[in-house]
Amino acid sequence: MQEQYNLDSPSLTTLKNPSLRTESLVALGTFGALTAGSALLGAGVSNSGQLWYRRLRKPGFTPPSWVFGPTWTVLYGLMSFSAWRVWNRPAGPKRSWALALWGLQLGFNALWSPLFFGKHRTRAALADIAALGVSLAAYTAVAGKVDRGAAWMMAPYLGWVGFASALNEEIVRLNP
């Protein structure tokens, strides 16, 4: 007698797509919450309307203030989803190293806005964004060995951090 299987049952759906497991969805929520925490920390002190920021001399390539919110929303989403994809791969040293580097870059990301906008320490923020760029590049390289798609998701973020580094450097140079 041949057994009948319901191909839409939750257990078989999970077998076909392991990323639908409960622990995987919890992991996605965790990466999202960590990223949201970093975003909220930055948003709490970031205000391009601050008198201090308005008085700074800025380079001509400074984007309008309205660009930052949508840009960071997309970047934070990609960042969370990238880490989740890496987490969903089989456990091993490369996966662990990639996730540690992801956490490190998120920490540097969270520090930048309090340094720049909160404490007005543009040079310290420049050092932080340099460390962010290095840790982000390292995460991307290691993640690429675990999940190529996860690494490619970081490409826009790498570009933005490069641009933001140049912007931060010019603000330091123009405001000695």
Side-chain angles (χ1 to χ4, degrees):
M1 180 168 156
Q2 191 173 19
E3 291 185 44
Q4 296 289 322
Y5 292 102
N6 177 359
L7 294 179
D8 293 323
S9 76
S11 60
L12 287 178
T13 302
T14 300
L15 289 175
K16 291 189 291 186
N17 187 353
S19 63
L20 295 177
R21 295 183 318 251
T22 301
E23 64 270 16
S24 178
L25 296 176
V26 169
L28 179 59
T30 300
F31 289 120
L34 290 169
T35 304
S38 178
L40 290 172
L41 180 64
V45 295
S46 297
N47 182 351
S48 59
Q50 290 178 352
L51 183 58
W52 169 81
Y53 182 77
R54 286 195 321 253
R55 286 184 174 169
L56 286 175
R57 287 187 303 223
K58 294 178 269 313
F61 61 88
T62 303
S65 296
W66 65 266
V67 168
F68 292 95
T71 299
W72 277 111
T73 300
V74 170
L75 295 176
Y76 281 132
L78 288 170
M79 190 186 314
S80 299
F81 198 60
S82 173
W84 177 71
R85 283 182 60 123
V86 168
W87 185 89
N88 267 311
R89 304 303 293 165
K94 286 182 185 167
R95 183 185 89 155
S96 296
W97 183 231
L99 292 173
L101 288 167
W102 183 87
L104 182 63
Q105 68 79 29
L106 187 65
F108 285 126
N109 177 298
L111 285 175
W112 188 87
S113 289
L115 287 172
F116 188 90
F117 287 105
K119 296 184 185 255
H120 306 166
R121 299 199 49 213
T122 58
R123 284 179 178 13
L126 183 58
D128 175 77
I129 204 167
L132 169 58
V134 170
S135 62
L136 177 56
Y139 165 74
T140 304
V142 176
K145 295 175 183 175
V146 177
D147 182 300
R148 288 180 56 97
W152 277 107
M153 289 178 173
M154 301 307 278
Y157 184 30
L158 279 164
W160 184 260
V161 167
F163 171 76
S165 297
L167 185 59
N168 192 158
E169 190 279 327
E170 280 298 295
I171 288 173
V172 166
R173 188 181 67 75
L174 293 169
N175 301 275

